[in-house]
Amino acid sequence: MKSLSIKAVALSALLSVSATAAVSAQAQELKIGYVNSERVLREANVAKAVGLKLESEFGKREKDLKDAELKLRGAAEKLEKDAPTLSEAERNRRQRDLVESDRELQRKRREWQEDLTQRKQEEMSVIVDRANRAIKQIFDTEKYDLIVQDAIFSSPRVDITKKVIDSLNAQK
């Protein structure tokens, strides 16, 4: 009988300790944060500055392309209007010139788009690196257990996007 009661007491004590540990673990909450990357890239001053920088860098070429397109349309309309009075050879020559001009314009437009895309990616890479450093700093400073980017659903109480934007805006 004594050995049974000692085993029962030992088992009871063991269960009590493990129950206390479980309650203690539940009482210790995880600190979780969420960052909306799209919002950071849209609202941070550094991202806005990149947009202006790219606009100044590529705006002239875009305007030149639009002007060339308008000129090409005007030439096409003029050809259509003058076609009945032109000789067959002259009409064919102008059509070839228009086709060649259109090809050249499309080539320039593709090059412009490729250059713009490449520069955007380069600049966005720099912004993402800076944002990740800001997130890491917030993680370490405020002792988060987990920070998630781009979750499908999140509660406003775990959203730290504004902190990240403010941190980026404070950097120089």
Side-chain angles (χ1 to χ4, degrees):
M1 258 318 186
K2 280 187 175 179
S3 67
L4 183 60
S5 65
I6 292 175
K7 287 181 184 177
V9 170
L11 182 61
S12 175
L14 183 62
L15 289 175
S16 176
V17 169
S18 63
T20 304
V23 168
S24 175
Q26 284 180 337
Q28 189 180 26
E29 288 192 30
L30 292 176
K31 187 168 182 181
I32 297 174
Y34 159 71
V35 177
N36 182 332
S37 299
E38 181 182 318
R39 188 170 148 215
V40 170
L41 294 176
R42 187 178 62 241
E43 294 179 15
N45 289 343
V46 68
K48 292 175 184 177
V50 163
L52 294 174
K53 180 180 178 181
L54 291 174
E55 175 63 34
S56 70
E57 191 174 325
F58 288 91
K60 184 185 179 317
R61 278 175 65 186
E62 182 179 22
K63 183 185 179 312
D64 291 346
L65 288 169
K66 287 180 181 179
D67 291 346
E69 186 177 351
L70 287 174
K71 184 178 173 184
L72 185 62
R73 281 189 193 152
E77 290 171 2
K78 185 170 181 351
L79 174 62
E80 189 176 311
K81 181 179 159 186
D82 295 346
T85 61
L86 295 175
S87 69
E88 176 116 7
E90 180 63 17
R91 190 172 57 244
N92 287 339
R93 184 189 65 75
R94 284 191 185 182
Q95 284 176 338
R96 278 192 310 272
D97 289 347
L98 281 174
V99 168
E100 184 58 37
S101 295
D102 184 53
R103 261 192 223 126
E104 182 67 16
L105 176 63
Q106 297 307 318
R107 182 188 62 76
K108 286 181 180 180
R109 186 171 296 283
R110 275 191 309 275
E111 287 177 358
W112 172 81
Q113 187 63 51
E114 289 170 2
D115 291 347
L116 178 61
T117 300
Q118 181 180 358
R119 285 289 293 127
K120 273 184 183 178
Q121 288 174 347
E122 290 169 0
E123 294 293 336
M124 286 298 136
S125 172
V126 171
I127 295 170
V128 167
D129 286 345
R130 289 179 68 181
N132 285 339
R133 283 195 305 271
I135 292 167
K136 175 71 169 131
Q137 181 182 9
I138 291 168
F139 178 85
D140 292 338
T141 304
E142 298 185 22
K143 301 194 179 352
Y144 277 88
D145 295 307
L146 175 69
I147 295 180
V148 179
Q149 288 182 308
D150 302 323
I152 296 173
F153 299 106
S154 72
S155 168
R157 75 180 169 85
V158 297
D159 190 348
I160 64 167
T161 304
K162 178 82 170 104
K163 286 181 185 179
V164 174
I165 292 170
D166 291 345
S167 177
L168 282 173
N169 290 347
Q171 293 176 4
K172 292 295 169 195

